[in-house]
Amino acid sequence: MNINSKIEEQQKFFDSGVTKSLNFRISALKKLKEAILFYEEDIYLSLKTDLNKNRQEAYMTEIHMVLAEIQHTLKHLKKWSKPKRVTSGLLNFPSKAFIKTEPYGIVLVISPWNYPFQLLFSPLVGAISGGNCVILKPSEISEATTEVSIKIIERAFEPNFVSIIPGGVDVTTELLSQKTDYIFFTGSTMVGKIVAKAAAENLTPVTLELGGKSPCIVDKGCDLKLAAKRIVWGKLLNGGQTCVAPDYLYIHNDVKEQFINLFIKYAKEFYGEDPGTHDHYCKVITKKHYDRLTQLLKDGKVIYGGGVHKENQKIHPTLLEDCPQDSRVMTEEIFGPIFPIITFSNIKEIPVYVKKSGKPLALYIFSKNIKNIGYIVEHTSSGGVCVNDVISHLVSSNLPFGGVGDSGTGAYHGIDSFKTFTHNKSVLYKGTFDPKIKFPPYKNETSVIKLLKKLL
Ligand code: NAD
């Protein structure tokens, strides 16, 4: 069946109104949970194949995130879906006003390869909760996870409700040329621009979950041991292929050497002397991505790591210094286990530097100095900020997750997913009374204007 007829089928089903019912949406989310659990072992296997992702990491960062999102949504969906009564203003007297959420219709979800399960299924939870039909386009690069995703979707849903269309640029281009009602894209900033242009052609609303260079600031006087442990964990999670991974280290001069020693200590503690052979260390997804990262190794002086394993596409955790500001490693999103270091002596230097790479998706600061933390939060703009930890801010269902400017538009998770995938429709029930002054010909204009001003 071609893409056009799949969309037509979904349109028919959406128009039947079935997907709007709360019971249908709840039951769909339960079916999704059942299918995920049914194929849980296959998901672990596929993530191992695609990224050498360890079982526990796979559960924590992919499966659990989706199951938790389903649980949270099931718990709150009834409340979120209720029309909200609001006051309608004196000029509308007598009347009743409501905000009613309604689904957009057919939602297109395009996902990347780095968290290939979570980033396909988490938006799906939001789209279903809003009452939409969904077309999923997973990444062509994480093939094994796409295979199991197809099985999960086919077990849980009819294609006229949720359909999965695998493929590369050609398929995505074809999908983008069709009229859908919402596009939810997760991927690179470069492709985000292509998606935004295509969406503009049809005036389709769009969420862009993009990437960028997320700075990791380490201040003097912070708990350096804790900082190093958490940063090593977050930087090396998924082999550094995380959109919110600390991209570069921005550290106070006075604590640089101490931090480097601690970084090395924890990198060895977590992944051994030779991470290339460690079973819990993720590989770089493809040869092409591996080649790009090995080129970035040349952009500075290696002060730790630098080892590469072509046969299994692994790159050792690597610290770089003396990287020219205009080098690729300092201007491109790294998306791998390479960590360039720059230093500061005055906290006020930081916002100016951070701004140069556009607004980041995440910003991290490790500090005990409340004034310094406040200064950075106040003087930088980013999708989110996490103080004294990395990545954890996106685990909370109560915090919206998304970028700003170069790192994206829109947000999701928890209630923000529901808001993203629904339109707020204003509904006003008007009474029969009409004041005479409303209709032309207007008399006593001055006194009416005076009266209206008084009512402000
Ligand atoms: P990508 O932009 O290359 O691909 C994402 C999706 O777009 C894939 O499904 C792919 O098939 C499709 N695509 C690729 N090229 C296209 C084109 N020319 N036209 C139309 N569609 C195209 O991204 P990726 O390499 O899969 O993922 C890595 C990027 O995603 C990084 O920049 C990372 O920061 C970002 N990311 C962001 C988030 C977030 O939540 N903000 C999460 C994960 C990854």
Side-chain angles (χ1 to χ4, degrees), residues 110-114 119 137-140 167-169 172-173 176 185-188 191 194 209-212 243 333 335 361 401:
I110 304 170
S111 65
W113 52 262
N114 63 327
L119 297 172
K137 208 304 286 176
S139 169
E140 68 280 23
V169 176
T172 323
T173 308
L176 287 170
F185 172 78
T186 308
S188 61
V191 179
I194 297 173
E209 295 279 340
L210 312 177
C243 57
E333 179 181 14
F335 226 54
L361 184 58
F401 172 57

Coordinates of all heavy atoms in Angstrom, one line a residue, residues 110-114 119 137-140 167-169 172-173 176 185-188 191 194 209-212 243 333 335 361 401, ligand 1:
I110 N 8.6 11.5 13.3 CA 9.9 11.1 12.6 C 11.0 11.1 13.7 O 11.2 12.0 14.4 CB 10.3 12.2 11.5 CG1 9.2 12.4 10.5 CG2 11.6 11.8 10.9 CD1 9.5 13.5 9.6
S111 N 11.7 9.9 13.8 CA 12.6 9.8 14.9 C 14.0 9.4 14.5 O 14.2 9.0 13.4 CB 12.0 8.7 15.9 OG 12.0 7.5 15.2
P112 N 15.0 9.7 15.4 CA 16.4 9.4 15.1 C 16.8 8.0 15.5 O 16.0 7.3 16.1 CB 17.1 10.5 15.9 CG 16.3 10.6 17.1 CD 14.8 10.3 16.7
W113 N 18.1 7.7 15.4 CA 18.6 6.4 15.7 C 19.2 6.2 17.1 O 19.5 5.2 17.6 CB 19.7 6.0 14.7 CG 20.8 7.0 14.5 CD1 20.9 8.0 13.6 CD2 21.9 7.2 15.4 NE1 22.0 8.8 13.8 CE2 22.7 8.3 14.9 CE3 22.4 6.6 16.6 CZ2 23.8 8.8 15.5 CZ3 23.6 7.1 17.2 CH2 24.3 8.2 16.7
N114 N 19.5 7.4 17.8 CA 20.3 7.2 19.0 C 19.6 6.6 20.2 O 20.2 5.9 21.0 CB 21.0 8.5 19.4 CG 20.0 9.6 19.7 OD1 18.9 9.7 19.2 ND2 20.4 10.5 20.6
L119 N 12.6 7.3 21.5 CA 12.2 8.5 20.8 C 11.2 8.3 19.7 O 10.7 9.2 19.1 CB 13.5 9.2 20.2 CG 14.4 9.7 21.3 CD1 15.8 10.1 20.7 CD2 13.8 10.8 22.1
K137 N 7.7 7.2 11.5 CA 8.8 7.0 10.6 C 10.1 6.9 11.4 O 10.7 7.9 11.8 CB 8.9 8.2 9.6 CG 9.4 7.8 8.2 CD 10.8 7.2 8.2 CE 11.9 8.2 8.5 NZ 13.2 7.6 8.6
P138 N 10.5 5.6 11.7 CA 11.7 5.4 12.5 C 12.9 5.7 11.6 O 12.9 5.7 10.4 CB 11.6 4.0 12.9 CG 10.8 3.3 11.9 CD 9.9 4.3 11.3
S139 N 14.1 5.7 12.3 CA 15.4 6.0 11.6 C 15.7 4.7 10.8 O 15.6 3.6 11.3 CB 16.5 6.3 12.6 OG 17.7 6.3 11.9
E140 N 16.2 4.9 9.6 CA 16.7 3.8 8.8 C 18.0 3.2 9.3 O 18.5 2.2 8.8 CB 16.8 4.3 7.3 CG 18.0 5.3 7.0 CD 17.6 6.7 7.4 OE1 16.7 7.0 8.2 OE2 18.3 7.7 6.8
G167 N 12.0 3.6 6.4 CA 12.7 4.1 5.2 C 13.6 5.3 5.5 O 13.7 5.8 6.6
G168 N 14.3 5.7 4.5 CA 15.3 6.7 4.6 C 14.8 8.1 4.1 O 13.6 8.4 4.2
V169 N 15.8 8.8 3.5 CA 15.4 10.2 3.1 C 14.3 10.2 2.1 O 13.4 11.1 2.2 CB 16.7 10.9 2.6 CG1 16.4 12.3 2.0 CG2 17.8 10.9 3.6
T172 N 11.0 9.7 3.9 CA 10.7 10.9 4.7 C 10.2 12.0 3.8 O 9.3 12.8 4.1 CB 11.9 11.3 5.6 OG1 12.5 10.1 6.0 CG2 11.4 12.1 6.8
T173 N 10.9 12.2 2.7 CA 10.6 13.3 1.8 C 9.2 13.2 1.3 O 8.4 14.1 1.2 CB 11.6 13.4 0.7 OG1 13.0 13.4 1.2 CG2 11.5 14.6 -0.2
L176 N 6.7 13.9 4.0 CA 6.7 15.3 4.3 C 5.9 16.1 3.2 O 5.4 17.2 3.5 CB 8.1 15.9 4.4 CG 8.8 15.5 5.7 CD1 10.3 16.0 5.6 CD2 8.2 16.2 7.0
F185 N 9.1 16.0 15.0 CA 10.4 15.6 14.4 C 11.5 15.6 15.5 O 11.6 16.6 16.2 CB 10.8 16.5 13.3 CG 12.3 16.3 12.8 CD1 12.6 15.2 12.0 CD2 13.3 17.1 13.3 CE1 13.9 14.9 11.6 CE2 14.6 16.8 12.9 CZ 14.9 15.8 12.0
T186 N 12.2 14.5 15.7 CA 13.4 14.5 16.5 C 14.6 14.2 15.6 O 14.6 13.1 14.9 CB 13.3 13.4 17.6 OG1 12.0 13.6 18.3 CG2 14.4 13.5 18.6
G187 N 15.6 15.0 15.7 CA 16.8 14.7 14.9 C 17.7 15.9 14.9 O 17.7 16.8 15.8
S188 N 18.5 16.0 13.8 CA 19.5 17.1 13.8 C 18.9 18.4 13.4 O 17.9 18.5 12.8 CB 20.6 16.7 12.7 OG 20.0 16.6 11.5
V191 N 18.5 18.7 9.5 CA 17.3 18.1 8.9 C 16.0 18.8 9.5 O 15.0 18.9 8.8 CB 17.2 16.6 9.2 CG1 16.0 15.9 8.6 CG2 18.5 15.9 8.5
I194 N 14.9 21.3 7.1 CA 14.2 20.7 6.0 C 12.7 20.4 6.3 O 11.8 20.7 5.6 CB 14.9 19.4 5.5 CG1 16.3 19.7 5.0 CG2 14.1 18.7 4.4 CD1 17.2 18.5 4.7
E209 N 12.5 18.6 17.8 CA 13.3 18.3 19.0 C 14.7 18.1 18.4 O 15.0 17.0 17.8 CB 12.8 17.0 19.6 CG 11.4 17.1 20.3 CD 11.5 17.7 21.7 OE1 12.6 17.7 22.3 OE2 10.5 18.2 22.2
L210 N 15.6 19.1 18.5 CA 16.9 19.0 17.8 C 18.0 18.9 18.8 O 17.8 18.5 19.9 CB 17.0 20.3 17.0 CG 15.8 20.7 16.1 CD1 16.0 22.0 15.4 CD2 15.5 19.6 15.1
G211 N 19.2 19.1 18.3 CA 20.4 18.8 19.1 C 21.2 20.1 19.3 O 20.6 21.2 19.5
G212 N 22.5 20.0 19.3 CA 23.4 21.2 19.5 C 24.5 20.9 20.5 O 24.7 19.7 20.9
C243 N 21.4 13.3 22.8 CA 21.2 14.7 22.4 C 21.5 15.7 23.6 O 21.9 16.8 23.3 CB 19.7 14.9 22.0 SG 18.5 14.4 23.2
E333 N 28.1 19.7 16.9 CA 27.6 18.8 18.0 C 28.5 17.5 17.9 O 28.6 16.9 16.8 CB 26.2 18.4 17.7 CG 25.6 17.5 18.8 CD 24.2 17.1 18.5 OE1 23.6 17.4 17.4 OE2 23.5 16.6 19.4
F335 N 28.5 14.4 19.7 CA 27.7 13.2 19.6 C 28.5 11.9 19.7 O 28.4 11.0 18.9 CB 26.8 13.2 18.3 CG 25.4 12.8 18.6 CD1 24.6 13.4 19.5 CD2 24.8 11.7 17.8 CE1 23.3 13.0 19.7 CE2 23.5 11.3 18.1 CZ 22.8 12.0 19.0
L361 N 20.4 22.7 23.8 CA 19.3 21.9 24.3 C 19.3 21.8 25.8 O 18.3 21.9 26.5 CB 19.3 20.5 23.7 CG 18.2 19.5 23.9 CD1 16.9 20.1 23.5 CD2 18.5 18.2 23.2
F401 N 10.2 18.8 28.2 CA 11.5 18.6 27.5 C 11.4 19.1 26.1 O 10.7 18.6 25.3 CB 11.8 17.1 27.6 CG 13.0 16.7 26.8 CD1 14.2 17.4 27.1 CD2 13.0 15.8 25.7 CE1 15.4 17.1 26.3 CE2 14.1 15.6 25.0 CZ 15.3 16.2 25.3
Ligands
NAD1 P1 18.9 13.1 11.5 O1 18.4 14.5 11.5 O2 19.9 12.7 10.5 O3 17.7 12.0 11.2 C1 16.5 12.1 11.9 C2 15.3 11.6 11.0 O4 15.2 12.4 9.9 C3 15.5 10.1 10.6 O5 14.3 9.5 10.7 C4 16.0 10.3 9.1 O6 15.5 9.2 8.3 C5 15.3 11.6 8.7 N1 16.1 12.3 7.7 C6 17.5 12.4 7.6 N2 17.9 13.1 6.6 C7 16.7 13.6 6.0 C8 16.5 14.5 4.9 N3 17.4 15.0 4.2 N4 15.2 14.8 4.6 C9 14.2 14.2 5.4 N5 14.4 13.4 6.4 C10 15.6 13.1 6.7 O7 19.3 12.8 13.0 P2 20.0 11.5 13.5 O8 21.4 11.4 13.0 O9 19.1 10.3 13.3 O10 20.0 11.8 15.1 C11 21.0 12.6 15.7 C12 20.5 14.0 15.9 O11 19.3 14.0 16.6 C13 21.5 14.8 16.8 O12 21.6 16.1 16.3 C14 20.8 14.8 18.1 O13 21.1 15.9 19.0 C15 19.4 14.9 17.7 N6 18.5 14.4 18.7 C16 17.7 15.2 19.4 C17 16.9 14.8 20.4 C18 15.9 15.7 21.2 O14 15.1 15.1 21.9 N7 16.0 17.0 21.1 C19 16.9 13.4 20.8 C20 17.8 12.6 20.0 C21 18.5 13.1 19.0

